[in-house]
Amino acid sequence: MERELRTPRSNWREDCEAAGFLFHSIDGTYWDESRAYRFTWQEVDQLEAAAAELHARCLHAVDHIVRNGRYDQLAIPAAWHRRIADSWAKREPSLYGRFDFAFDGSGPPKLLEYNADTPTALLEASVVQWRWLEQAIRPGNADADQFNSLHEKLIANWRALAVTWSASTPVHFTCADSEEDRGNLDYLRDVALQAGVDARYIVIDDIGYDSANDRFVDADNVEISVLFKLYPWEWMVREEFGAHLLTARIRVIEPAWKMLLSNKGILPILWELNPDHRNLLPAYFEPGRIAGDYVVKPLLSREGENVELHRGSETLAAPGAYGGEGRIWQAYTDIPRFGDDYATLGAWIIGDAPAGVGVREDASPITRNTSRFVPHYFV
Amino acid sequence: MADRPRKRSASITLVLIGAAALAGCSQETPSGSARAMYSTKDDCLRDWRDPAECEEVVERDQSGATRRSYYVGPSRSSSSTSRSWGSSSSSHSSGTVSRGGFGSSGHSHSSAS
């Protein structure tokens, strides 16, 4: 794994926008092709195998949590325990998730966390870096490849999902009012349309609840029977309409059991079930069990908020508003550094299959929403 | 490399987003707000219903010849968040339907992870 400094394509902005990637410069520089990561195929095979292995370990952990009722450790509200168990018992299918790895090619990928419910940076990983590969790399190196079959796997998985509801059923897509979220949601709607799904957008505030019929409706009062939400489960269950999700006839993607995997509490449970696993870091629900440097993570934190990194006598703490529900303690591992930048890898699972990676760079070892997306290729 | 299975997508087509797709994608207006783009007026009307909401855009090359034309929906600025794409621009609330019960957490955070 090496970082190359490169001259950006002269038309990179236009090409990003031609792919619907309008937030390429959000918060300054976000898409950054002034550098690129070059992997060997052996390294890519390692990443793919690690993602497949951890996906299997995660499904096993979900089964363990449900069977043993360990919801309280994850601060899941009691009213939701049965709903999650039902969702798992039915094996409601999942569309996607993204493992964040520390990896530099010299040892096994180590899982930092699993973004199992509302992973983003999908459009750039799937479409934008693929276009960069075709335009900037392959003309001079026809053998170059990229670990990225996200697009075709997303379409295939939407097709598989669509056969589980009637052909005339619309799927409503919603997200928070954020440019980045909307860009990702529109891309997901695009691939769903290509799979034959009647994919409709609805502003989240417009979702209606029809109390007479115990159902959710859109702005036209059309029933929402399948909802794709790029909006965290833990927010939905605590909001005014959350309790109605327990009784109304509605299918939600990602399914409710994903609440268990998007929670940082999955990290100590994975470690407990798979001690000394080569792709895991020691993690616990209690402080004081890690000899050496460690990281404290809120159960429900997003975008690195309220993460504390304790390294020697130094503490690096990211601000935020999370942590009230509880925290976990995870052993520290070095985040690979290239020049002045720290790089983390996001390894995607689509359905049940590894489907690609994206690299994020930041001046801080804590990956945040401002971390830059850097394309990759392998030879 | 040659005998190893390809790990990249063979091709990528977009039908909703992106200038090439032009079947209902997003663009930035000079004011920075996003608008939906459509290849035909009918596609635009399917989402917005009101012809006044669907504006034709003609792009020309340096010689003045038409390079492409398409339609855009109304500005998707924060002031238009009561609108929903893919459905009517007007809601028909009944006595038993209430709205606004989701979204409060997202007003202070991005849901990205």
Side-chain angles (χ1 to χ4, degrees):
Chain A
M1 178 183 178
E2 293 179 9
R3 187 174 77 167
E4 299 174 343
L5 298 180
R6 305 187 60 88
T7 302
R9 293 166 294 165
S10 60
N11 67 336
W12 72 266
R13 284 185 184 81
E14 291 81 2
D15 191 64
C16 285
E17 290 163 15
F21 181 41
L22 306 178
F23 49 100
H24 52 70
S25 301
I26 198 167
D27 297 320
T29 302
Y30 174 53
W31 169 262
D32 189 356
E33 61 177 70
S34 68
R35 62 276 312 272
Y37 284 87
R38 187 181 68 221
F39 296 90
T40 65
W41 62 263
Q42 293 94 335
E43 289 166 342
V44 166
D45 282 354
Q46 242 187 311
L47 289 165
E48 186 172 23
E53 162 70 5
L54 287 173
H55 178 63
R57 295 298 95 214
C58 282
L59 298 185
H60 176 251
V62 169
D63 198 60
H64 165 85
I65 295 166
V66 170
R67 285 179 188 278
N68 294 280
R70 296 181 66 176
Y71 304 101
D72 289 342
Q73 279 184 296
L74 308 183
I76 306 277
W80 282 85
H81 298 180
R82 174 168 288 186
R83 175 76 162 77
I84 291 171
D86 288 347
S87 163
W88 177 243
K90 292 179 200 162
R91 296 296 192 271
E92 289 183 343
S94 156
L95 178 68
Y96 67 167
R98 194 194 72 228
F99 293 110
D100 284 352
F101 287 146
F103 179 70
D104 66 1
S106 65
K110 295 287 189 184
L111 178 64
L112 300 171
E113 61 183 52
Y114 187 20
N115 301 290
D117 184 21
T118 59
T120 52
L122 179 60
L123 172 63
E124 43 274 49
S126 175
V127 180
V128 184
Q129 70 170 345
W130 182 87
R131 292 168 69 105
W132 167 86
L133 177 80
E134 294 297 324
Q135 296 171 19
I137 301 296
R138 283 180 44 77
N141 184 351
D143 284 341
D145 200 354
Q146 188 174 74
F147 183 20
N148 170 21
S149 57
L150 287 156
H151 191 78
E152 56 211 50
K153 285 192 169 69
L154 283 166
I155 293 172
N157 275 273
W158 272 115
R159 280 202 190 101
L161 283 167
V163 300
T164 65
W165 53 75
S166 71
S168 61
T169 301
V171 177
H172 289 78
F173 285 66
T174 197
C175 67
D177 185 17
S178 140
E179 185 181 14
E180 182 189 1
D181 291 5
R182 184 60 197 274
N184 278 273
L185 190 80
D186 283 347
Y187 174 58
L188 284 160
R189 199 171 149 227
D190 190 308
V191 286
L193 284 164
Q194 294 187 57
V197 172
D198 177 1
R200 306 179 182 186
Y201 173 70
I202 183 167
V203 174
I204 195 159
D205 306 75
D206 277 355
I207 294 175
Y209 175 65
D210 175 356
S211 56
N213 299 292
D214 191 21
R215 61 178 195 164
F216 288 96
V217 295
D218 68 12
D220 286 331
N221 289 335
V222 171
E223 181 173 4
I224 300 174
S225 51
V226 183
L227 178 68
F228 180 89
K229 45 101 204 142
L230 186 59
Y231 196 81
W233 264 111
E234 68 263 22
W235 293 359
M236 294 190 88
V237 304
R238 289 168 173 83
E239 292 184 358
E240 181 186 342
F241 283 174
H244 302 318
L245 289 167
L246 291 166
T247 57
R249 188 185 60 188
I250 186 169
R251 167 96 164 266
V252 182
I253 304 169
E254 291 292 298
W257 60 264
K258 276 298 199 76
M259 266 191 264
L260 307 179
L261 292 179
S262 61
N263 188 302
K264 302 295 186 298
I266 196 64
L267 297 169
I269 291 176
L270 281 169
W271 182 250
E272 174 190 318
L273 298 177
N274 307 277
D276 301 321
H277 192 290
R278 66 187 185 284
N279 298 124
L280 295 174
L281 294 164
Y284 302 96
F285 284 105
E286 311 84 24
R289 297 188 62 182
I290 296 169
D293 299 339
Y294 61 94
V295 181
V296 185
K297 297 179 175 180
L299 292 177
L300 301 176
S301 170
R302 291 181 175 273
E303 299 180 330
E305 287 191 22
N306 297 99
V307 169
E308 291 176 14
L309 200 156
H310 297 263
R311 196 170 43 186
S313 58
E314 174 194 32
T315 297
L316 181 64
Y322 296 99
E325 293 83 2
R327 301 186 293 172
I328 64 105
W329 283 256
Q330 182 185 45
Y332 172 82
T333 188
D334 282 326
I335 306 297
R337 205 161 183 192
F338 297 85
D340 292 333
D341 300 303
Y342 295 90
T344 57
L345 270 74
W348 288 90
I349 294 286
I350 305 297
D352 289 311
V357 293
V359 184
R360 302 284 297 275
E361 271 193 359
D362 202 295
S364 161
I366 300 174
T367 303
R368 300 165 296 183
N369 62 339
T370 52
S371 303
R372 300 180 307 281
F373 190 99
V374 178
H376 83 276
Y377 70 100
F378 72 90
V379 289
Chain B
M1 270 303 290
D3 57 349
R4 294 185 56 78
R6 172 177 51 79
K7 290 189 190 289
R8 69 185 184 282
S9 295
S11 64
I12 289 184
T13 301
L14 299 168
V15 300
L16 177 67
I17 61 171
L22 282 183
C25 64
S26 306
Q27 70 168 19
E28 286 289 311
T29 64
S31 64
S33 58
R35 301 177 75 175
M37 295 168 61
Y38 302 89
S39 56
T40 69
K41 193 168 187 176
D42 284 347
D43 288 342
C44 184
L45 288 173
R46 196 168 299 128
D47 271 0
W48 298 102
R49 301 199 177 173
D50 182 356
E53 300 276 38
C54 295
E55 176 190 347
E56 184 177 18
V57 176
V58 179
E59 290 184 359
R60 300 184 188 280
D61 61 21
Q62 290 181 333
S63 70
T66 299
R67 190 157 62 101
R68 63 175 184 169
S69 67
Y70 53 93
Y71 289 82
V72 294
S75 172
R76 254 196 297 139
S77 64
S78 56
S79 62
S80 67
T81 52
S82 62
R83 284 284 182 65
S84 66
W85 286 12
S87 62
S88 168
S89 57
S90 60
S91 88
H92 308 283
S93 58
S94 72
T96 63
V97 174
S98 52
R99 301 186 193 279
F102 285 133
S104 58
S105 308
H107 295 155
S108 52
H109 297 91
S110 163
S111 61
S113 64

